[in-house]
Amino acid sequence: MSNVALEVKNLESWYGESHILHGVNFSVRDGEVVTLLGRNGAGRSTILKTILGLTSKRKGSIEVFGKETIALPTYQIARLGIGYCPEERGIFASLDTEENLLLPPKVSSGGMDVEEIYEMFPNLYERRNSPGTRLSGGEQQMLAMARILRTGAKLLLLDEITEGLAPVIVQKLGEVVTKLRNKGFTIVLVEQNFRFAAGLADRHYVVEGGQIVEVVQHSELEAKAELLNGYLGV
Amino acid sequence: MQEIILETIGLGKSFKGFSAVTDVNLKVTRGTIHALIGPNGAGKTTCFNLLTKFLEPTSGQILFNGFDITKEAPAEIARRGIIRSFQISAVFPHLTVLENVRVALQRGLGTEFFFWKSGSSLNVLNDRALELLHEVGLEEFAHKETLNLAYGRKRALEIATTLAMEPELMLLDEPTQGMGHEDVDHVTRLIDRVAKGRTILMVEHNMKVIASIANKITVLQRGSVLAEGSYQEVSSNPLVVEAYMGSHGGDAL
Amino acid sequence: MEIFGLSSSALLSQLLLGLVNGSFYAILSLGLAVIFGLLNVINFSHGAMFMLGAIVTWMAGQYFGINYWVMLLLSPLIVGLVGIVIERLLLRHLYQLDHLYGLLLTFGLTLFIEGVLRSIYGASGLAYNTPEALGGATDLGFMVLPNYRAWVVFASLTVCFATWYIIEKTSIGAYLRAGTENPKLVQAFGVNFPLMTTLTYGFGVALAAFSGVLAAPIIQISPLMGSNLIIIVFAVVVIGGMGSIMGSILTGLGLGLIEGLTKVFYPQASSTVVFAIMVIVLLFRPAGLFGREK
Amino acid sequence: MKLPKLLILLVLLGFAIAAPFFAYPIFLMKILSFALFAAAFNLLLGYTGLLSFGHAAFFGGAGYCAGYLMRDMGVGPAAGIAIGVLFAAALGALIGGLAIRRQGIYFSMITLALAQMFYFICLQAPASGGEDGFQGIPRGDLFGLIDLQNDLNLYYFVLAITVAGFVFIQRIITSPFGQVLKAIKENEPRAISLGYKVNRFKFLVFVLSAALAGLAGSTQALVLGFETLTDVHWTMSGLVILMTLVGGVGTMAGPFVGALVIVLLEHRVGEIGNFLAEITSIAWFNSLGESVTIVTGLIFIFCVMAFRRGLVGIFTKK
Amino acid sequence: ADQPPLKIGFITDMSGLYSDIDGQGGLEAMKMAVADFGGTVNGRKIEIISADHQNKADVAASKTREWIDQNGVSVVFGGTNSGTALATAKVAAEKKRIYINNGAGTSALTNEQCSPYTIHYTYDTIALANGSAKGLVDKGYKNWYFLTADYAFGYALEKDASNVVLANGGKVLGDSKHPLNASDFSSYLLQAQNSKAQVLGLANAGGDTINSVKAANEFGITKTMKLAGLLVFITDVHAIGIKNAQGLLATTAWYWDQNDQTRKFAGRFMEKMKRMPSMVQAGDYSSTMTYLNAVKAAGTDDSDKVMAQLRKTKINDMFTKNGYIRKDGTMVHDMYLYEVKTPAEVKSPWDYYKLVSTLSGEKAFTIPPDSKCALLNK
Ligand SMILES: Nc1ncnc2c1ncn2[C@@H]1O[C@H](COP(=O)(O)OP(=O)(O)OP(=O)(O)O)[C@@H](O)[C@H]1O
Ligand SMILES: Nc1ncnc2c1ncn2[C@@H]1O[C@H](COP(=O)(O)OP(=O)(O)OP(=O)(O)O)[C@@H](O)[C@H]1O
Ligand SMILES: [Mg+2]
Ligand SMILES: [Mg+2]
């Protein structure tokens, strides 16, 4: 499989008046895992949001599974098969845990079923009738990740999924991502936690000032460690 | 002076039948950095909420310097010198950075209800506020609107504000969450620095931080204490490894 | 048997009348609760929409000879469309802002709509007759109940529970509730939320129009008929718990009953009793009777 | 930076002093009282984030109280107003004491409900004169010295009260107390965790706001010579919200501009219509006077859609 | 010479609850009067300026004050709503300007709060109560129950009417007070029905009256009780619809179908406003005419001189025969009790009333010994 799942060209993006992305280019083939690395405020989350059309204005080209989406409304982009896990988690207070989990509509077949998900995150099973925002910080993080696994989306945009999770869970998430990848999912990962990302990704993009300033292939990690260190302060 | 600054006896909290915290007996020693860790949903934040009375305990007692403070209101507890930070950043976004700190200092003046007094009477606090900002490295932003600060700086500001209260006991809930590596190191050093002369109780998932500054660690699991001890002791406890740290150990992170 | 100096049959009939009013409150506050709960808009123009429902019914009868039964469907549709236009053109741009702005806008709309209709139809009212099939009254033993009032209770309760079912028990309802909190994220899941909000507003407003049609034969139809009701209906929604669908239905009915009793024992206070109850309820239950605390 | 601001204020004050020679004094006084009322309300909404939907009770309640004292007890205007203010403060303590225990929309609704109950009392109390209104409040003279029958004298008295009210509000906002209020508005849990007993602050500011609304209400009663149920009705509470929003929340000038616009609308739409008809020779404008509600409605819609931050917001950037 | 125009101010509810009774129609009636008068008086052009008081006393009073101070109006006409009328009258009296009211109910205007410059023209609560109660009790309807709006105005109507009922040997079996603008009356009506009274006196107005009559029909009250509206306008009957309104008794100062003069005026009014004039609008016409005649006769618009002239002239026009303005400001004239026709009796649109009885002005309005007005008894 070498179809392109996501192709971003000359992407620019704005929040109101502030111009955040200044021409971002990258592409992800089917079944690849890539990460976006960078300092706080570099614009990584903004890249994910812009792909889904969640910023106030955008320019350039974004092809999702071969379809140009720059002019589409958010919900139609999502229906092309994108699953999004936002950094602020976005758990709904007025829905209970299970309703939160069942909320995102299926966009295609082949999603995990609920049993499988509960098995993966036993905490959620235990708290399934509790209002979504009454979960602990980490549980909410799990829920945000879990709910998109159900939808059958093949392109996952994951923003800081390890944030605030216990080391065991982080480890488990690493296994999940590997598993997903083996199943043929395409994943764009925004990570602060470099060690977590390093082992998983085919390729790393370093974002700075709203542009991609460096690409590091998995095989080049050792060689470019110094360079990465300079960008990220690892 | 008491050796033990904070003690909980049989502390418990349940939400509609779900027991989030059960029979927690915690002893925090004066002058230490005490870390509270545990898997997600173990009840750490709930514990903090109980200690600061943002939640009402269903059972148990809280002693601060030997006094029973179980029945006191949140503001009273704050006045006793227990100050917390929040898991989600808590600043006053439309005040300037300086004003943020000053609001905390202001309580010391005892003029908080003086609606007839000129605002310039607060200027006497500016020096102390700048000093605190200097301590967390935010001096140059003193007159900026807080809203526009980067995330890591907001966390630093929060610590400065908390320090302004001259707390005997600081409760920090995941102070480094969401920070880049640089910021994490920065804040870790900051905590270590301000810990001199006070006591800190903190929740943290970043093992690197814990390992480098915590004197004592309590591990919670499912609402009760699983293990307690130094980092060495805890991290070699197989129960803790299984429930929390995972096979890589905290080290991997 | 006497209770508080009132024969039990008199008491029973007063309670029944209370129920009739209660079902008006229920359906009106339901529409308001749907709009508030799902769009976060305090729809001040709900009373005006209620009035539009009645006036459109009258107009259809007057100018085109369309009867009550047809209008029972058509009037909510027409007013719902008006609502959709309002939502698309105006309300839509206010969602990210404080509640207050939606309130101010709908308040302005109310003044405008009422003012325009008043300058056309005057303030004293328009006559509308009870449909033939529902004329007459039934002797219940303790009182004679006009058939039309019985129909009102039946029709509004049916609509109320159907609405409740859709919102609380189907996934449409879950999308809407989630969308209230974070519309962008819901869209990022592939839900056409803007369309849903538009339809929801149209639906909420149509509910008001529906009760307007129900009211047409028994309440004076005039451009100002909704403005007296709106504040009471607000109170009902708050007592029930803002946004709680079942809460507003049950509270609407309950308050109708209580108001009915007040009319017997201290009639002057019958429009104030709602507020007294609101204070008491809120002091003991911070989020209303059925509301979820944040 | 500081100088021009002071200059603007002085120029404004100059205008205010000269105004009665150009415009009708009673009309101006009404604007002043409403401006003060809106500013009092804004102290709560704009600077503390509390939306009261019951401020009519303080405005009208103080009016009735002051009116009663001045007409039936022979109390002078200054003392009448002062007692009116105390009355409003006491009422504010009662209503505020209950309402501040609740948050957000529920706070608003409790204030609304209690104010409606107060309305009911005003309606039922024989002394209020029911819907005929409490008529014939004498203007009297100030400390036996200044004859307030004279419109000009009364105007300067009212101007002095209003300016004092505005200065006082400004002082509250910038005071140490005001600083804590701002903090509470921004982030209440954080303020609590810093050891502030938030409810006490809310209570005090509520009472202050009620007292100031009472000052505006008693002054208005003195100016108009009567007090009616309109002033205690919920629509008045709504009106003050509108004034504040139309003018601009959380600014000092906003309430003033809002009051000006609303009072102008109430009194002048007809004339504006005639004027428009004259210059455009479209006869339809002549009927504007009978369509105050339509015009008001349109203006609100326009304000909400076009200038979110109120009319004042047009001139302040950001 | 170039004389300044004579300005007449007219302030009433143009947009609210009472705007159909007076409002635009009232203004039109006054304009008709001015035109019929010839458009000028004593060589001065006559101008009417008008405003909407929105039922707010403060608006009414400050507008009036301004008109007098700044625009130099010679006379102020005021319309519906008692609160605004009392406030306006106060201002006018203070400024010594004539105030003529058509449409406010309160008898305080010519009683406790009377002034030498106030004229209350069309009706007041006393005349209305007398008109209904006297006429009905005389016909043998002795047992009454009142449905009363919980407002000074409602109380006044009820009190005045029940005094008449009692004085004429009738009985009052009870009353229900309802809040203003209540939408549902069934509960009160049931209570009324249980009282077994013969007459249900409606001491309310406008929408409240309309809704009570509608509900009374629905609940079959009209089968057992006679409904007497103490303040019913022809527009109300129109809004209720003849089917529901039939049999309702109403007191009025004027009805369009009384005689040729009234029909002629009504016809002209109908052409302009597309509806029949209410008694208030007829009063607006008549009082404007009366005032202008007095100005002409006095040769000046000086308030005192015109008042003196007004007091000594009998009024004979389409509105009333031999009406006169008493010292307390009451325009004393006959009142009529009408009954609403059955649908079968109605011959043309707006043909609603048949006459039951006439009450002479002296009997209808406050009798001087009962008055608290100092002007009347000195
Ligand atoms: N809603 C917004 N409105 C205006 N500016 C924003 C908004 N969200 C983010 N920004 C700005 O855009 C820039 C990029 O933000 P982004 O969230 O993409 O950074 P990031 O790389 O994800 O960093 P972080 O580690 O903080 O999540 C930052 O300067 C930020 O201040
Ligand atoms: N208000 C509440 N109502 C119901 N359940 C709650 C409430 N607050 C917390 N819980 C539950 O109590 C448990 C403990 O939550 P707490 O927030 O203390 O966890 P935590 O240890 O801080 O976890 P994390 O590391 O993920 O932040 C969780 O399972 C959570 O779902
Ligand atoms: Mg980010
Ligand atoms: Mg936590």
Side-chain angles (χ1 to χ4, degrees), chain A residues 136-137, chain B residues 44-45 87 173-174:
Chain A
S136 82
Chain B
K44 303 176 297 288
T45 302
Q87 187 164 356
D173 198 352
E174 305 203 27

Side-chain angles (χ1 to χ4, degrees), chain E residues 86-153:
Chain E
L86 290 170
T88 316
K90 275 260 142 47
V91 175
E94 185 190 314
K95 305 270 176 193
K96 300 201 188 331
R97 225 39 76 88
I98 299 175
Y99 173 64
I100 301 177
N101 180 277
N102 292 287
T106 181
S107 54
L109 270 178
T110 54
N111 205 336
E112 298 92 325
Q113 304 198 31
C114 71
S115 112
Y117 299 98
T118 299
I119 295 174
H120 202 185
Y121 203 85
T122 309
Y123 66 86
D124 64 16
T125 50
I126 305 239
L128 292 170
N130 280 331
S132 300
K134 185 115 183 29
L136 277 169
V137 177
D138 285 351
K139 287 206 156 19
Y141 292 104
K142 293 205 184 296
N143 293 334
W144 286 60
Y145 189 96
F146 285 100
L147 185 55
T148 307
D150 182 33
Y151 266 79
F153 161 75

Side-chain angles (χ1 to χ4, degrees), chain B residues 79 84 94 103 106 119 165, chain D residues 171 174 176 186 190 194-196:
Chain B
R79 280 154 186 257
R84 72 175 297 183
H94 291 101
V103 165
Q106 204 187 321
M165 308 296 299
Chain D
R171 185 60 173 237
T174 54
E186 298 269 296
R190 182 57 172 163
L194 293 180
Y196 290 109

Side-chain angles (χ1 to χ4, degrees), chain A residues 39-46 49 87 159-160 190 192:
Chain A
R39 292 168 201 251
N40 285 116
R44 298 161 302 154
S45 303
T46 306
K49 287 190 196 165
E87 69 183 322
D159 201 344
E160 314 257 6
V190 167
Q192 200 69 258

Side-chain angles (χ1 to χ4, degrees), chain D residues 124 131 266-268 290, chain E residues 24 56 63 66 150 153:
Chain D
Q124 296 289 325
E131 90 278 18
E266 246 179 19
H267 289 254
R268 291 278 183 271
E290 286 74 49
Chain E
Q24 282 297 310
K56 292 177 183 162
K63 202 84 216 182
E66 193 183 336
D150 182 33
F153 161 75

Side-chain angles (χ1 to χ4, degrees), chain B residues 177-239:
Chain B
Q177 188 185 344
M179 288 184 184
H181 291 268
E182 276 170 312
D183 284 334
V184 171
D185 290 344
H186 178 220
V187 170
T188 311
R189 268 179 273 122
L190 181 63
I191 294 172
D192 198 30
R193 188 143 33 91
V194 303
K196 307 272 174 295
R198 12 183 103 74
T199 314
I200 289 177
L201 178 63
M202 64 188 280
V203 172
E204 184 56 71
H205 282 301
N206 191 327
M207 284 304 112
K208 227 168 97 187
V209 178
I210 302 274
S212 60
I213 58 172
N215 304 98
K216 189 174 173 191
I217 297 163
T218 301
V219 187
L220 283 184
Q221 191 199 16
R222 296 179 165 272
S224 33
V225 177
L226 179 72
E228 207 164 41
S230 68
Y231 180 71
Q232 246 48 48
E233 288 162 6
V234 168
S235 61
S236 54
N237 182 333
L239 286 175

